[in-house]
Amino acid sequence: MKRSSEKAASELFAALYPRLAGWCRRLVDDDGTAHEIASEAFTRLWARWTSVAEPRGFLYVTAANLVRDHWRKLERERRALHRVTSEAALRPPDEQADPSVRLLVQSLPERLRVPILLHYYADMPIREVSALTGRKEGTVKADLHAARELLRVHLRRSLDHTS
């Protein structure tokens, strides 16, 4: 039974992968991304092989969802880049962030650093930070609070040493 299942999966792949990848290519306009999406759709199909009644439909719906996610990611990146470049253009050239604060932010664990950079440095609302990081808004708020507390402690310590 297992051998016939593998053979059926192999035949399905040979029959559908080129068309699926071509369809994705037309949607994302990039060969590499199209092949990644088509491959991921097949990977998800293999994970559910015994429970999927209509593999072809499953593949195309899955690929369409992955394409949509790809487009959303590109749009978020485009907006973030626009925000950052606009911010840089508006900032006076001689204004420099305090290097000690920058170093403290860089020293934060990634879980805390990313929300701080997105919320305070890229000026994104918590809702958008939540969407970008895939975390709940409450988690983002808690991470921002924890990061601010760590920064406050480190800044207080560094100010005490300079006085």
Side-chain angles (χ1 to χ4, degrees):
M1 180 66 180
K2 183 169 171 84
R3 185 73 185 133
S4 65
S5 177
E6 287 177 10
K7 186 174 192 258
S10 179
E11 289 172 356
L12 183 73
F13 183 83
L16 295 180
Y17 183 85
R19 290 190 98 169
L20 182 65
W23 181 72
C24 292
R25 169 69 171 87
R26 287 190 298 278
L27 294 173
V28 298
D29 200 30
D30 176 64
D31 281 333
T33 303
H35 284 285
E36 285 177 28
I37 289 172
S39 297
E40 179 63 23
F42 269 96
T43 300
R44 291 182 185 191
L45 174 62
W46 303 152
R48 295 164 187 80
W49 183 248
T50 57
S51 63
V52 174
E54 176 47 55
R56 185 176 183 275
F58 179 89
L59 286 168
Y60 277 85
V61 168
T62 301
N65 289 336
L66 292 168
V67 166
R68 183 198 61 224
D69 292 346
H70 172 74
W71 287 342
R72 285 180 176 165
K73 180 181 175 219
L74 289 178
E75 178 59 22
R76 285 191 307 266
E77 289 171 352
R78 188 194 63 74
R79 281 192 313 234
L81 182 62
H82 175 72
R83 191 176 298 114
V84 168
T85 55
S86 297
E87 206 174 89
L90 295 174
R91 186 180 311 125
D94 61 331
E95 180 187 307
Q96 291 290 324
D98 180 357
S100 62
V101 172
R102 188 182 77 229
L103 291 174
L104 285 174
V105 169
Q106 287 174 346
S107 72
L108 289 171
E110 183 177 356
R111 176 182 68 82
L112 302 177
R113 183 177 62 245
V114 170
I116 285 285
L117 292 172
L118 293 174
H119 185 65
Y120 292 107
Y121 287 80
D123 200 31
M124 291 184 186
I126 289 173
R127 179 186 73 258
E128 200 168 335
V129 174
S130 170
L132 279 170
T133 60
R135 297 181 192 148
K136 294 180 180 180
E137 288 185 32
T139 303
V140 170
K141 289 177 184 178
D143 288 345
L144 288 170
H145 175 75
R148 285 191 306 267
E149 288 303 310
L150 274 174
L151 292 171
R152 188 180 345 266
V153 167
H154 288 299
L155 282 171
R156 189 171 296 132
R157 204 175 301 143
S158 68
L159 288 174
D160 289 346
H161 291 302
T162 58
S163 327

